[in-house]
Amino acid sequence: MMKTIIFRIGEYIFLFVRIIAHYVLAIWFGGKGKTVPPVENPLLLKSATKLAEEIREGKLKCEDVIEAYIERISVVDPYINATVEQSIDVALREAREVDLLVASGKYTKEHLAAVKPLLGVPFSVKLLLNVKGYLNTSGCRCFENMRATKDAECVRLFKEAGAIVIATTNVPEFGMNMETFNYVHGRTKNPYDTNRACGGSSGM
């Protein structure tokens, strides 16, 4: 009985401290921050498999998809500082190559689905993984000028499947923190409240 009472008292103390801390931090950081604008382009709401399917069937232009994602990055990134390097020119060139390949009729859509299941799908890569030609800092100052000389195996496989790199994204230093902050690329913010952290690069 006594243990239950002590446990309940502890619960109430914790709840009280949490409420006080919430309001103190809200005042300290100036209340709620900004929220990123809502998604308007329906292309951004399609799954990777749906995008790949519609691209290889000629229902969608890969270039339109890549442009939609680049536009969304340009809108959102000033709020949250999520990307480090963007691959706009290269991504658009690769998108046009995809569209030419599909239009050529050289391969059936079934063949493309088998050998290039992610054909034309944009993807981003954390700075913890190598992308040839891109910064590979891991969020650490000692590597701030280091560029990858080859792709990480998972990146290579994505590219082989037809996916297109559009950006590299920020991480905690060496991925070892509960929020995405480092002294090379700064802090990535929460898209729903920019006065809050977004968690680690895996969302923790």
Side-chain angles (χ1 to χ4, degrees), residues 49-103:
T49 52
K50 191 66 177 174
L51 285 175
E53 177 188 326
E54 293 189 2
I55 287 170
R56 65 176 172 261
E57 290 180 354
K59 295 177 181 177
L60 275 182
K61 292 291 186 184
C62 181
E63 187 174 2
D64 292 339
V65 173
I66 297 299
E67 284 180 343
Y69 273 82
I70 290 170
E71 171 63 21
R72 182 61 179 170
I73 289 172
S74 72
V75 169
V76 170
D77 213 51
Y79 288 81
I80 62 174
N81 185 42
T83 66
V84 173
E85 287 186 290
Q86 297 172 26
S87 178
I88 297 173
D89 293 338
V90 175
L92 287 172
R93 188 190 72 232
E94 292 179 0
R96 294 183 195 108
E97 290 171 358
V98 167
D99 289 334
L100 286 172
L101 176 66
V102 172

Side-chain angles (χ1 to χ4, degrees), residues 97-188:
E97 290 171 358
V98 167
D99 289 334
L100 286 172
L101 176 66
V102 172
S104 72
K106 185 176 180 181
Y107 302 104
T108 65
K109 59 186 179 182
E110 291 78 16
H111 178 79
L112 290 175
V115 300
K116 300 283 185 184
L118 295 176
L119 185 66
V121 175
F123 75 111
S124 60
V125 184
K126 293 181 184 182
L127 278 178
L128 299 172
L129 299 169
N130 288 356
V131 182
K132 186 176 180 179
Y134 290 82
L135 286 171
N136 183 36
T137 67
S138 295
C140 180
R141 279 181 172 170
C142 55
F143 300 133
E144 64 180 317
N145 296 314
M146 183 176 289
R147 291 190 176 272
T149 56
K150 64 178 182 178
D151 290 328
E153 181 63 7
C154 58
V155 174
R156 184 189 70 78
L157 290 171
F158 263 76
K159 287 182 175 181
E160 192 175 281
I164 296 173
V165 177
I166 57 169
T168 54
T169 57
N170 200 18
V171 293
E173 188 169 355
F174 294 122
M176 298 178 68
N177 202 338
M178 291 177 66
E179 68 163 327
T180 300
F181 169 77
N182 60 70
Y183 290 103
V184 184
H185 311 294
R187 175 174 281 103
T188 297

Side-chain angles (χ1 to χ4, degrees), residues 31-47:
K32 191 177 188 307
K34 295 178 181 178
T35 300
V36 301
V39 173
E40 295 181 355
N41 192 325
L43 289 178
L44 301 172
L45 301 176
K46 292 180 183 285
S47 68

